[in-house]
């Protein structure tokens, strides 16, 4: 009974433009519940920024950020890119620096460069003021501020998950443009395995037939909208600019998104 009512209320808010203010209200409410302060030796963003990129837990933000940084570091190494060897790295959709807090110091200490870019200027601004590296805001659609063929590695954690298919396709092309030939893109996404356990409503069932499903198609780029992609569709979308080196399925026993490891094709 409640579910259809909620769905109608959501549609009304989307159509009237009230969904944005409602969503901001939810974020402010979450920010009041982030739990005790955490000192992990790195600058910690304020609660109102933490809740824009993760659940309402400073501990989760700290620990999962460190774990996700380790995961990207290990995955890149497995594909021949050592972040401690002076690489030029971009965190696309860097949010409040959850992962950059751990990786940027390491990349820069090794003689590389570290850039972060995010749709939300408040998030990019906090990173610029508090973390090593260069951080900028970008638009919902390309371009990035980086030059063509200027980067060795780009990672994006839970960014494709908030984009419609045409926008995601445009970003894959842009990421291929700024990577050097052979450079790596490591991008997480919601695949069919992850959808089995974590997708809302009928998304998992629709995904098999549709390949790309957008849920709550409003406020693109925010956490409100979520996008779901089969691994095969993601590989097709990446094909013009990349060879698919590996796609690690998401998990249905723990909330771990799928990860695509893409290698930029040489220019033709
Ligand atoms: C779920 S958060 C993840 C943030 C960060 N990657 C992390 O793992 O903590 C999604 C992030 O993607 C950003 N984002 C969404 N659309 C974007 C776009 N078109 N370009 C750049 N960033 C985008 C949002 O502003 C937000 O910071």
């Amino acid at each position: 009974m409640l579910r259809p009512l909620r769905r109608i209320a959501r549609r009304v808010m989307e159509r009237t433009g009230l969904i944005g203010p409602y969503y901001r209200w939810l974020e402010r409410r979450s920010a009041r519940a982030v739990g005790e302060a955490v000192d992990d030796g790195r600058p910690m963003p304020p609660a109102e920024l933490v809740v824009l990129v993760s659940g309402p837990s400073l501990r989760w933000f700290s620990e999962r950020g460190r774990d996700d940084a380790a995961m990207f570091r290990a995955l890149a190494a497995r594909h021949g890119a050592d972040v401690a060897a002076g690489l030029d790295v971009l965190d696309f959709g860097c949010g409040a620096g959850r992962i950059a807090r751990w990786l940027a110091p390491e990349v820069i200490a090794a003689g590389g460069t570290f850039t972060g870019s995010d749709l939300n200027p408040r998030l990019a601004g906090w990173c610029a003021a508090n973390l090593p590296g260069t951080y900028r805001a970008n638009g919902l659609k390309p371009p990035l501020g980086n030059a063509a063929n200027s980067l060795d590695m780009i990672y994006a954690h839970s960014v494709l998950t908030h984009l419609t298919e045409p926008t995601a396709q445009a970003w894959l092309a842009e990421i291929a443009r700024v990577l050097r030939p052979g450079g790596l893109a490591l991008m997480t996404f919601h695949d069919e395995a992850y959808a089995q356990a974590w997708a809302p409503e009928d998304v998992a069932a629709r995904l098999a037939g549709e390949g790309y499903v957008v849920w709550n198609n409003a406020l693109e780029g925010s956490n409100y909208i979520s996008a779901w992609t089969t691994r095969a569709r993601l590989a097709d979308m990446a094909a013009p600019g990349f060879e698919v080196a590996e796609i690690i399925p998401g998990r249905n026993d723990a909330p771990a998104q799928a990860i695509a490891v893409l290698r930029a094709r040489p220019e033709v």
Side-chain angles (χ1 to χ4, degrees):
M1 179 61 192
L2 267 179
R3 198 179 265 186
L5 280 180
R6 259 197 238 122
R7 200 172 304 150
I8 292 166
R10 203 178 70 216
R11 296 267 181 274
V12 170
M13 285 193 285
E14 285 176 1
R15 293 214 175 112
T16 55
L18 286 174
I19 197 69
Y22 171 66
Y23 200 60
R24 298 288 95 76
W25 175 79
L26 286 180
E27 288 164 356
R28 281 196 298 277
R29 201 177 62 165
S30 294
R32 290 198 288 272
V34 291
E36 62 193 39
V38 171
D39 181 1
D40 59 16
R42 317 266 156 148
M44 182 60 86
E48 61 269 25
L49 298 188
V50 167
V51 299
L52 297 183
V53 297
S54 64
S57 162
L58 296 180
R59 181 154 302 283
W60 188 96
F61 181 90
S62 167
E63 291 175 0
R64 277 297 291 266
R66 188 194 52 218
D67 293 351
D68 286 338
M71 179 275 290
F72 280 130
R73 187 190 297 115
L75 194 53
R78 192 156 91 210
H79 288 275
D82 179 359
V83 297
L87 301 183
D88 297 316
V89 175
L90 167 70
D91 182 333
F92 175 59
C94 60
R98 191 177 65 88
I99 298 170
R101 297 165 78 241
W102 303 97
L103 279 186
E106 188 178 338
V107 168
I108 292 167
T113 64
F114 193 95
T115 317
S117 199
D118 199 278
L119 174 63
N120 185 331
R122 285 173 66 210
L123 295 171
W126 183 87
C127 291
N130 293 282
L131 299 180
T134 304
Y135 298 84
R136 315 182 181 99
N138 60 260
L140 177 62
K141 306 216 170 176
L144 289 163
N146 306 76
N149 299 325
S150 63
L151 298 170
D152 300 303
M153 174 180 154
I154 297 177
Y155 66 89
H157 190 281
S158 199
V159 182
L160 293 179
T161 49
H162 302 292
L163 302 178
T164 61
E165 189 170 7
T167 307
Q169 183 80 68
W171 277 113
L172 284 166
E174 175 65 357
I175 285 167
R177 180 187 74 82
V178 298
L179 278 172
R180 300 188 171 109
L184 284 184
L186 313 176
M187 315 199 61
T188 74
F189 63 104
H190 293 147
D191 72 339
E192 56 272 50
Y194 186 88
Q196 276 171 19
W198 312 106
E201 295 176 358
D202 56 351
V203 165
R206 286 173 54 201
L207 194 55
E210 297 175 34
Y212 202 106
V213 173
V214 178
W215 187 74
N216 280 358
N217 195 355
L219 298 181
E220 189 175 13
S222 77
N223 294 333
Y224 178 73
I225 173 176
S226 67
W228 303 77
T229 319
T230 58
R231 295 188 291 278
R233 175 67 69 87
L234 197 283
D236 284 349
M237 290 168 68
F242 298 96
E243 287 159 20
V244 177
E246 180 178 5
I247 296 190
I248 301 169
R251 291 176 57 176
N252 57 19
D253 58 344
Q257 297 178 9
I259 312 169
V261 182
L262 310 172
R263 191 175 295 285
R265 293 187 191 282
E267 282 173 298
V268 277

